[in-house]
Amino acid sequence: MASQSDPITFLRYIDLDRCMGCGTCESVCDFIHDGKPFIKIYETSIGVKIPLSCMHCSKAPCIEVCPTGAMRRDESGAVYVDPMKCIGCMACLYACPFGVPELDPDLRVSTKCDLCMDLRRQGLEPACYAMCPARAIIYGEPRKVSDEIRHRRAEQLVRARLEGMITLG
Amino acid sequence: MKFTFMCKEPPSIVPGRGRYKIAIVGGGPAGLSAAGYLACRGYEVHVYDKQPLPGGLMLFAIPEERIPPENILEGIEELRDKFNVEFITKTKVFGDSKPREDEGDKLVERIVSLKDLVDKYDAVLITTGTWRSRRLHCPGEEGPGVMSALEFLYELRIYNKGYIPHKPHIGNRVVVIGGGLSAVDAAMEALNQGAKEVIMAYRRTIKQAPAGVYEIRKLINRGVKWMELVSPTRIIRENNRVKGIELQKMKLGEPDESGRPRPIPIPGSEFILDADTIIEAIGEIATPPFENEYLGVKADRRGRIQVDERFRTGNPKIWAAGDVVTGPSLIGSAVKQGLYAAKSIHLELTSKKLV
Ligand SMILES: Cc1cc2nc3c(=O)[nH]c(=O)nc-3n(C[C@H](O)[C@H](O)[C@H](O)COP(=O)(O)OP(=O)(O)OC[C@H]3O[C@@H](n4cnc5c(N)ncnc54)[C@H](O)[C@@H]3O)c2cc1C
């Protein structure tokens, strides 16, 4: 298994400008995890719905604080729980700035998104990314993800500039 | 959308399983998600849709700036080319009587009876969505210049795709009735189509609007006028052309069965707003491919097909999922129902084989 210092080969980014809160990510995640989704939609006070899931932090505090070494990083960079080592103390939840790890009351261990480890092992993509209707989830090699994000922002800037010129003219 | 996100290839001949044939009626997010699951399991899947392309409301109503069409089309092509899912388009499925007229029927070329499908296939999944709009039923509604949001958005899309020669006519002063996603999209598109003034009229306040405060504020920033606590009482016509709409002011009362405060009309508060186009966006209704009850499958008063927790209907060969079961919802809900219904079909057919 990878250590905290190995390079990250995959990154998932949720483009909140594109996300329409339709819940497809949560649905497919629910389906492949038998009713326990690890990406979930939350509706904020102004009526905007956004998905929240593990950020798979590059310097993951949950990995740092885990007393049994159950919270780990796989060879692609995804942070996951080894249920055999987890004691369900939830120190990871205290450490997580996003409140992501959750206790599985049946298995008595911490659970969270593992970027669809099973699918990735078969050469497939994380389900939320594969199925997002709005292409709001960007996933891949970190540099490519950054490029895609900036490409989208460039489009927005140009549109804003052109719209400005049209309204002024 | 990679509807086959669970597998790389269709399974190489699974003994026996390939013989099972499944018909899916309606190729929206619910039907396509089910098709993906079943194709990954090696079934022969045929999708019937009344439109020239599958995709449902994702391709034929929701604006392209929210859902890039190529994202849907690529998923459909993969189902067709790599997983041999067959798409039978421009084909409306209905019980064996004269089909009910729904919205979006313009491009239908063939009618197939639901009974034929039940006879021909091992299982049928109905995912026909909500292709009828609720109407105001107020005086002056009938005639030109008044349309539903779905009708307007749908016709705009099929015009842009080149299926019809004329754009839906949009005037200079447009009043959109409603506060949901369809209302927001209709208002946006009316503005894009060059309407000088677009007013959204909603009977509760922005806080209760199903589209959410943020979406509505965004529209206001783009120039749409927001008018709340008003409800239409009649549409005013002169020589049959729309001249305006009479609105009555409302106040909020106790919460109703939806949990939101009930709008209560204020007597004598009616006023008239000039308008030449009225778009009604007050909700859609489920459109099952039959009336009331057929072959043991039942729909309730609002057209919603009755299913059990495994998406089974009263007919052992028919399942149903998506908005035709729930009423108008979101893509995510339709996808979820489609997947679980497909799994239920799979479990049923595999258990059958063991007997
Ligand atoms: C204007 C508008 C905007 C929306 N915006 C959003 C949004 O931003 N986010 C979101 O999550 N949801 C949105 N929704 C809701 C979303 O589109 C639906 O919840 C979703 O599409 C339902 O999926 P479905 O597969 O059940 O039905 P549909 O998408 O309606 O698909 C049903 C399919 O069945 C076909 N069909 C119907 N009757 C027959 C028949 N008798 N025979 C053969 N084929 C038939 C239709 O052609 C269609 O392809 C919006 C809806 C509208 C109307």
Side-chain angles (χ1 to χ4, degrees):
Chain A
M1 280 303 120
S3 80
Q4 281 271 61
S5 55
D6 278 355
I8 304 287
T9 48
F10 286 107
L11 179 68
R12 173 181 62 182
Y13 174 83
I14 302 176
D15 184 347
L16 296 180
D17 284 351
R18 295 242 61 177
C19 175
M20 49 180 184
C22 76
T24 298
C25 48
E26 177 172 332
S27 294
V28 294
C29 192
D30 178 290
F31 185 68
I32 57 176
H33 296 107
D34 299 316
K36 291 178 189 163
F38 297 122
I39 182 166
K40 281 191 213 157
I41 302 287
Y42 291 90
E43 184 167 356
T44 63
S45 53
I46 54 165
V48 181
K49 298 189 187 116
I50 62 159
L52 264 188
S53 181
C54 177
M55 305 284 182
H56 297 278
C57 304
S58 298
K59 293 183 182 172
C62 56
I63 297 181
E64 303 294 340
V65 302
C66 180
T68 62
M71 191 65 82
R72 314 174 62 165
R73 187 184 297 287
D74 76 10
E75 56 286 352
S76 306
V79 177
Y80 75 103
V81 181
D82 178 349
M84 299 304 282
K85 286 191 173 162
C86 179
I87 54 171
C89 69
M90 303 314 284
C92 49
L93 176 57
Y94 282 90
C96 178
F98 305 100
V100 164
E102 85 186 59
L103 182 71
D104 183 318
D106 303 320
L107 300 174
R108 297 169 180 247
V109 293
S110 171
T111 54
K112 60 179 284 304
C113 165
D114 61 7
L115 277 181
C116 289
M117 195 184 280
D118 289 344
L119 294 182
R120 286 187 291 120
R121 286 204 176 125
Q122 300 169 53
L124 293 158
E125 297 153 336
C128 57
Y129 163 72
M131 281 288 279
C132 176
R135 290 203 166 144
I137 301 181
I138 312 176
Y139 165 82
E141 199 255 309
R143 212 163 305 151
K144 279 205 188 121
V145 170
S146 307
D147 263 349
E148 171 64 21
I149 296 166
R150 283 195 287 266
H151 196 93
R152 290 182 181 191
R153 298 302 167 257
E155 291 280 352
Q156 283 174 342
L157 280 175
V158 166
R159 213 176 308 141
R161 166 111 179 106
L162 287 181
E163 268 176 21
M165 275 164 35
I166 290 161
T167 16
L168 289 175
Chain B
M1 283 173 92
K2 211 170 159 44
F3 299 106
T4 52
F5 64 94
M6 278 165 292
C7 70
K8 261 196 126 151
E9 311 272 338
S12 47
I13 313 143
V14 181
R17 194 174 289 162
R19 283 179 308 176
Y20 281 129
K21 281 172 72 171
I22 299 169
I24 296 177
V25 184
L32 293 173
S33 303
Y37 176 89
L38 294 167
C40 277
R41 293 283 182 187
Y43 292 99
E44 190 173 334
V45 182
H46 295 179
V47 179
Y48 289 79
D49 202 296
K50 65 180 186 176
Q51 302 307 337
L53 285 172
L57 294 173
M58 297 190 297
L59 275 193
F60 288 95
I62 303 177
E64 296 192 5
E65 62 171 37
R66 200 141 10 110
I67 298 186
E70 67 276 10
N71 188 28
I72 311 303
L73 293 171
E74 282 166 18
I76 294 166
E77 277 162 19
E78 185 169 47
L79 282 175
R80 188 191 60 196
D81 301 339
K82 197 166 158 193
F83 289 84
N84 299 315
V85 172
E86 209 175 296
F87 291 101
I88 300 107
T89 53
K90 298 187 182 175
T91 305
K92 179 161 174 159
V93 176
F94 207 76
D96 48 19
S97 56
K98 185 179 175 300
R100 176 190 61 233
E101 249 181 67
D102 296 325
E103 284 170 69
D105 279 356
K106 260 202 169 129
L107 306 173
V108 171
E109 288 176 356
R110 282 170 297 275
I111 309 284
V112 167
S113 113
L114 180 56
K115 177 140 193 324
D116 283 352
L117 297 191
V118 175
D119 291 342
K120 219 169 110 188
Y121 292 88
D122 298 292
V124 177
L125 172 62
I126 301 174
T127 44
T128 44
T130 55
W131 283 71
R132 254 185 309 171
S133 299
R134 227 171 257 289
R135 305 308 303 244
L136 289 168
H137 298 297
C138 71
E141 185 180 38
E142 296 306 321
V146 179
M147 56 195 148
S148 75
L150 181 58
E151 207 177 320
F152 170 53
L153 293 167
Y154 172 73
E155 296 208 356
L156 205 56
R157 291 302 282 274
I158 60 173
Y159 166 78
N160 286 338
K161 288 187 166 84
Y163 293 116
I164 52 168
H166 301 292
K167 249 188 204 188
H169 179 74
I170 198 85
N172 283 326
R173 261 178 79 86
V174 181
V175 176
V176 180
I177 311 293
L181 289 171
S182 321
V184 164
D185 289 346
M188 246 325 283
E189 289 291 358
L191 212 58
N192 289 344
Q193 293 306 310
K196 291 212 176 66
E197 195 162 21
V198 178
I199 300 160
M200 260 176 103
Y202 180 54
R203 61 195 183 131
R204 293 188 173 91
T205 76
I206 191 167
K207 277 200 214 114
Q208 289 86 32
V213 176
Y214 174 77
E215 282 297 328
I216 292 168
R217 289 249 169 86
K218 220 160 72 179
L219 274 185
I220 296 171
N221 280 344
R222 293 214 195 168
V224 170
K225 290 216 174 88
W226 172 255
M227 199 177 263
E228 57 186 23
L229 292 169
V230 288
S231 178
T233 40
R234 68 190 168 101
I235 290 163
I236 298 142
R237 290 181 183 273
E238 212 177 84
N239 302 324
N240 206 30
R241 304 245 303 255
V242 173
K243 281 284 290 176
I245 183 165
E246 185 186 79
L247 299 168
Q248 185 176 31
K249 292 190 180 156
M250 313 292 273
K251 62 179 182 203
L252 294 182
E254 292 300 307
D256 61 13
E257 61 276 16
S258 74
R260 296 171 300 175
R262 185 190 302 279
I264 304 167
I266 303 172
S269 65
E270 293 83 355
F271 64 100
I272 289 167
L273 204 61
D274 285 344
D276 52 22
T277 309
I278 309 295
I279 299 178
E280 301 179 354
I282 53 171
E284 291 83 32
I285 312 169
T287 43
F290 55 84
E291 296 282 14
N292 310 318
E293 185 172 348
Y294 185 66
L295 306 174
V297 189
K298 280 193 192 124
D300 72 4
R301 191 169 53 81
R302 293 148 99 184
R304 295 175 299 190
I305 298 180
Q306 304 297 293
V307 295
D308 67 8
E309 72 291 347
R310 283 163 60 188
F311 302 93
R312 294 176 296 195
T313 66
N315 184 306
K317 282 177 87 178
I318 306 179
W319 280 251
D323 283 8
V324 75
V325 167
T326 58
S329 69
L330 293 174
I331 296 165
S333 154
V335 165
K336 185 170 173 180
Q337 293 223 335
L339 288 171
Y340 278 103
K343 191 173 177 181
S344 166
I345 292 175
H346 170 61
L347 291 178
E348 177 73 22
L349 293 181
T350 21
S351 71
K352 212 158 86 179
K353 210 172 55 187
L354 293 176
V355 186

